[in-house]
Amino acid sequence: MTSTSHAQLPVDDATWWRQAAVYQIYPRSFADANGDGIGDLRGIISRVPYLQGLGIDAVWLSPFYPSALADGGYDVADYRDVDPRIGTLDEFDEMVAALHGAGIRVIVDIVPNHSSDDHVWFQEALAAAPGSPERARYIFRDGLGADGSKPPADWTSMFGGPSWTRVPDGQWYLHLFAKEQPDFNWDNEEVRADFRQTLRFWSDRGVDGFRIDVAHGLTKELGESLPSQAEIDAITEPGAHPLWDRDEVHEIYADWRKVFDEYTPPRIAVAEAWVSTPRRPRYASAEGLGQAFNFDLLEADFDAEQFRTIIADNLALSAASGSSTTWVFSNHDVVRHATRYALPPRNGSTVKQGQKWLLSGGTQPVADVELGLRRARAATLLMLGLPGSAYLYQGEELGLPEVADIPAAERQDPAFFRNPGVDIGRDGCRVPLPWTREGTSLGFGPDGAHLPQPQGFGALSVEAQDGAPGSTLELYRAALALRHELRAAETLDWVRSPADVLHLARPGGWHVVTNFGTHAVPLPDGEVVLTSGPLAGTQLPSSTTAWIRTV
Ligand code: NOJ
Ligand code: CA
């Protein structure tokens, strides 16, 4: 494939993100160039033509920084370097140039709530005395009880187990995630200055934007005596929680906005903030990060009414904040949507990070694989027809299922280890991609893969689907190419339709129609341009989306 010029990335386009299709790369599992079983930057470089052919506007790279991998790289030991197992800074520059040359922007992940316990600052904190400036960059406390042997509070971490861990001199430090992920103290000016430096470091290297991990964490309100977990759980007033979604966090993002705006075009940011829908716009405001993930569709069942409400509410919210909305069905933290939709509906139970409701041991409940994929394709074609930006996760363009049967000995996710018998963790959506039908690691690399690929992955490989009519890969390619026309304006109109059907009209005579019901329905008038599955004559079958053009 020929590479295109940088002219595709005009510097004066400050709005490129508003309706972008962003493809998430989980670097360790994307492509491995050197055969050590771990995906790397050279692997990404080698797949730039594939990404260009897919038709995405940007990639978001999950962390590739030096890390002990206690949490898949979200335990960062050095924010301004590349893990030697993944590559070098020179290779990073080469990768950015190759992606930009292909007309693809680059978003990197910033993890500001916590570092790795290997980070030089945490090591300095451990070596220093209680009360020292080194400890003040993190959140250290004395324990309770006469000898301080009880944690300062009984809080449970996001991955299960306690949130406080004791260090040899008797003090305790806070970690809302794994114990290898100590939380920073964001009241500390050194911490703030260091993250500004990190944002400039990557911006100077040509990075176009940032995905902000746990954006609703960072600032905490910890008085002298800490509330109990039960007291915290009882708090319902927005903004009153001592650990999450504090109003003060927006001061940090206002400060970062100044850094983003030092660049042309301004660097963009998207908040990963698991907050209630009404609290989301502030993260997405133009004075703050500019955009925020909206996980509402990801948490919904395949259900017309749920989708209708979520789409309408989020378009209204984003109009109010001036941002564009975001849509996402899959990422590295949740069960892949081809499998989610193959399981019984969850009826409102939420998808918690690290707590998958799925498939104990891969057998219960039994998944209807064919139905799951059919619905996933319909849902994705609907999503790609909506205004706003669409975040796609590597492998969903192949219709990959969640891999449920990874043996315990090969699992890596701390959520698995911290919740024995309760939570199988997130490894099942992080299995290395199949690029070819055959071969050790199915073309992921010249040798093995760091997580085992299941039987049947080869048949879903890029090689197997490339050019195959009706394949999921060709569906994504066709939809992403057409989307450039369809996203001319950020508006949509609802067209009257049966209760189980959503019918949206977009500018330019485009119509997006999804049948969530169990019976085929008549197709509206117009030229059928693309469908997520075969039609039944002039009928739109169950669990199918059609893009129709009337002019
Ligand atoms: C959200 C990330 O997406 C997830 O993978 C990670 O475990 C937590 N934040 C902690 O950094
Ligand atoms: Ca490698």
Side-chain angles (χ1 to χ4, degrees):
M1 191 159 302
T2 53
S3 75
T4 46
S5 76
H6 284 68
Q8 284 208 1
L9 297 175
V11 287
D12 58 355
D13 181 2
T15 61
W16 65 267
W17 51 276
R18 293 190 68 90
Q19 298 207 71
V22 183
Y23 181 89
Q24 182 190 355
I25 293 180
Y26 191 74
R28 285 178 182 76
S29 300
F30 184 68
D32 171 22
N34 65 358
D36 65 356
I38 298 171
D40 44 44
L41 300 185
R42 283 247 157 266
I44 297 173
I45 293 168
S46 74
R47 299 298 179 181
V48 169
Y50 172 79
L51 295 168
Q52 187 178 21
L54 192 54
I56 46 146
D57 301 293
V59 292
W60 146 36
L61 302 175
S62 277
F64 46 79
Y65 315 109
S67 170
L69 301 183
D71 181 21
Y74 284 89
D75 46 324
V76 179
D78 181 348
Y79 290 87
R80 298 188 284 272
D81 204 351
V82 176
D83 191 313
R85 287 166 293 186
I86 291 189
T88 63
L89 280 170
D90 284 346
E91 285 171 349
F92 181 85
D93 295 342
E94 203 183 312
M95 178 194 72
V96 171
L99 286 163
H100 282 173
I104 298 170
R105 312 235 182 209
V106 182
I107 297 172
V108 301
D109 219 310
I110 297 292
V111 189
N113 182 68
H114 44 263
S115 72
S116 159
D117 58 350
D118 287 338
H119 191 286
V120 62
W121 275 3
F122 194 71
Q123 290 301 316
E124 286 174 10
L126 290 182
S132 60
E134 288 83 359
R135 288 217 172 165
R137 295 169 181 144
Y138 293 91
I139 301 173
F140 279 86
R141 284 286 173 114
D142 292 330
L144 301 180
D147 57 356
S149 65
K150 289 209 206 112
D154 64 344
W155 302 342
T156 303
S157 92
M158 293 297 287
F159 293 146
S163 292
W164 293 91
T165 288
R166 201 169 195 196
V167 302
D169 63 30
Q171 273 210 313
W172 299 74
Y173 66 91
L174 177 68
H175 53 91
L176 295 183
F177 293 87
K179 75 171 179 14
E180 296 85 357
Q181 294 168 294
D183 280 48
F184 280 119
N185 170 16
W186 274 90
D187 291 336
N188 186 304
E189 181 44 43
E190 268 189 285
V191 171
R192 294 187 182 225
D194 195 64
F195 273 90
R196 285 193 294 268
Q197 195 184 337
T198 294
L199 295 173
R200 289 197 180 97
F201 178 87
W202 295 108
S203 297
D204 290 343
R205 297 195 104 89
V207 155
D208 302 280
F210 303 96
R211 178 262 190 194
I212 310 304
D213 189 67
V214 198
H216 57 316
L218 282 62
T219 53
K220 281 131 196 149
E221 181 53 53
L222 305 178
E224 271 311 299
S225 87
L226 302 177
S228 68
Q229 184 71 51
E231 285 167 332
I232 288 184
D233 290 345
I235 297 170
T236 52
E237 193 194 327
H241 199 288
L243 303 177
W244 300 114
D245 192 25
R246 305 229 19 114
D247 289 336
E248 306 88 82
V249 79
H250 297 288
E251 290 163 17
I252 297 170
Y253 302 138
D255 184 35
W256 288 10
R257 171 52 53 191
K258 291 186 206 133
V259 176
F260 302 148
D261 289 351
E262 289 167 8
Y263 294 86
T264 311
R267 297 325 188 213
I268 70 124
V270 55
E272 187 224 17
W274 293 79
V275 296
S276 67
T277 308
R279 300 277 295 176
R280 196 182 302 136
R282 198 152 171 208
Y283 291 88
S285 72
E287 303 76 45
L289 295 175
Q291 201 180 44
F293 282 131
N294 153 19
F295 294 119
D296 296 354
L297 280 185
L298 182 154
E299 297 192 298
D301 294 317
F302 186 78
D303 175 272
E305 200 41 50
Q306 291 182 37
F307 270 59
R308 191 194 313 271
T309 306
I310 288 169
I311 293 168
D313 287 356
N314 280 288
L315 290 176
L317 264 187
S318 57
S321 77
S323 185
S324 65
T325 193
T326 59
W327 307 109
V328 44
F329 285 121
S330 282
N331 62 33
H332 65 296
D333 288 330
V334 299
V335 175
R336 284 186 177 277
H337 64 296
T339 297
R340 267 195 339 255
Y341 293 146
L343 296 168
R346 290 175 304 109
N347 296 321
S349 66
T350 53
V351 179
K352 288 210 185 109
Q353 260 177 29
Q355 287 185 349
K356 293 192 167 183
W357 66 94
L358 152 105
L359 296 177
S360 51
T363 51
Q364 295 291 332
V366 175
D368 183 340
V369 174
E370 193 274 331
L371 179 65
L373 181 57
R374 189 181 169 83
R375 288 175 167 174
R377 291 167 53 125
T380 297
L381 196 56
L382 168 57
M383 171 176 86
L384 292 176
L386 294 173
S389 53
Y391 283 80
L392 309 170
Y393 177 50
Q394 69 179 35
E396 69 168 81
E397 78 278 21
L398 306 175
L400 293 188
E402 185 80 3
V403 182
D405 57 358
I406 300 171
E410 302 201 49
R411 288 198 175 268
Q412 302 173 6
D413 185 0
F416 172 74
F417 298 108
R418 292 175 71 98
N419 297 279
V422 174
D423 188 341
I424 64 169
R426 301 163 294 178
D427 296 313
C429 61
R430 300 174 177 181
V431 173
L433 291 192
W435 293 90
T436 56
R437 283 197 187 84
E438 307 281 342
T440 48
S441 77
L442 304 171
F444 166 65
D447 207 332
H450 70 96
L451 281 168
Q453 297 160 307
Q455 287 281 333
F457 247 35
L460 294 170
S461 64
V462 173
E463 181 185 44
Q465 298 195 41
D466 186 23
S471 72
T472 304
L473 177 57
E474 292 302 339
L475 173 66
Y476 271 71
R477 285 175 175 164
L480 288 164
L482 284 168
R483 192 176 137 88
H484 290 277
E485 295 175 42
L486 193 140
R487 67 187 184 186
E490 290 181 38
T491 55
L492 71 74
D493 291 310
W494 296 93
V495 181
R496 253 181 102 79
S497 58
D500 276 345
V501 176
L502 293 195
H503 182 165
L504 322 167
R506 298 290 315 273
W510 285 98
H511 290 256
V512 178
V513 190
T514 302
N515 180 1
F516 288 84
T518 50
H519 301 291
V521 295
L523 274 167
D525 291 340
E527 179 202 352
V528 177
V529 182
L530 186 63
T531 64
S532 66
L535 296 180
T538 57
Q539 302 265 303
L540 182 67
S542 158
S543 306
T544 306
T545 294
W547 283 8
I548 294 168
R549 203 158 190 190
T550 54
V551 283

